[in-house]
Amino acid sequence: MEDNPDNINPTIQQVRDWGYNLDLNLTDQDEDLILYSVEYVAILMEMASDEDCPKNYYCLSILRNFSQELLAKRDLYSVKKIGQEIEKYAHTTANAVSKWIEEFLNLKNILQYPLEITEQEADSIARSLMRDESFSGTLRKLRTMESGFIEYEKISSYASYFYIDPCNSYWKLSRFFRLKDAEVIL
């Protein structure tokens, strides 16, 4: 594979070659987004767990960001597919990968089987789903709305708002705009 081939659909072997070669790129930019696919979960877990892989931290970052995006959007179909890939994965994982798996599976179960949660659990879910690798600020809890939803705000390059109902663990994400009670409930 050549450097910067603009390969938007790499094979597993091409992803493996990319992971072990610091000088190899899949595309000129946004190569992480190309790897936002369930088909790459196992190879990313493998490379993220290999301390000899020069892009191991980057691979874990891709897994975190991809799964976080799906969870935040409540894409249960894709979240279940990632869960299946995790269940099939038979190799040893690094501690950081194991922590990601544990957090992901916990959020998957909450998404799949809603339950009543405490305010501290709501805070934890908000932190998990609003975290990003480059964000060094803090997540602010703004208020509890009349509907019972708790509203959080994160400001990085733009504002994001996260809403969660502790009565049933239902959450909703809004980029750029704060939602009104009626908009959150829909």
Side-chain angles (χ1 to χ4, degrees), residues 28-176:
D28 287 331
Q29 60 186 31
D30 297 330
E31 67 187 352
D32 56 328
L33 301 179
I34 289 169
L35 300 174
Y36 276 26
S37 174
V38 173
E39 76 177 287
Y40 301 123
V41 168
I43 187 62
L44 290 169
M45 287 174 55
E46 178 184 315
M47 292 187 301
S49 294
D50 184 355
E51 62 186 46
D52 293 328
C53 177
K55 295 180 184 172
N56 61 359
Y57 182 78
Y58 188 32
C59 292
L60 179 58
S61 174
I62 293 168
L63 285 168
R64 279 186 183 139
N65 293 334
F66 173 51
S67 62
Q68 177 187 42
E69 183 177 302
L70 295 174
L71 285 161
K73 289 193 292 189
R74 304 184 59 81
D75 182 345
L76 186 56
Y77 176 80
S78 298
V79 166
K80 284 181 178 180
K81 290 288 191 190
I82 291 175
Q84 291 168 354
E85 289 299 312
I86 290 170
E87 288 174 18
K88 290 190 305 190
Y89 192 76
H91 306 288
T92 305
T93 57
N95 191 36
V97 177
S98 295
K99 286 181 182 177
W100 165 76
I101 289 171
E102 180 181 344
E103 180 179 66
F104 172 81
L105 292 176
N106 180 50
L107 291 169
K108 174 189 156 293
N109 286 334
I110 292 170
L111 176 60
Q112 195 169 356
Y113 308 107
L115 68 153
E116 188 172 344
I117 57 174
T118 67
E119 191 168 332
Q120 284 118 346
E121 289 169 322
D123 294 347
S124 177
I125 291 169
R127 276 191 306 276
S128 293
L129 295 179
M130 297 295 286
R131 171 182 57 228
D132 82 41
E133 303 295 326
S134 63
F135 180 62
S136 59
T138 57
L139 182 69
R140 292 186 328 153
K141 187 185 312 185
L142 298 179
R143 65 187 170 137
T144 299
M145 302 169 77
E146 284 183 37
S147 61
F149 277 80
I150 302 170
E151 180 182 40
Y152 301 84
E153 175 185 48
K154 177 185 92 170
I155 298 177
S156 52
S157 55
Y158 57 88
S160 294
Y161 301 92
F162 184 79
Y163 303 85
I164 188 164
D165 185 350
C167 293
N168 60 15
S169 64
Y170 178 84
W171 63 73
K172 189 169 193 172
L173 176 67
S174 176
R175 304 229 192 261
F176 310 112

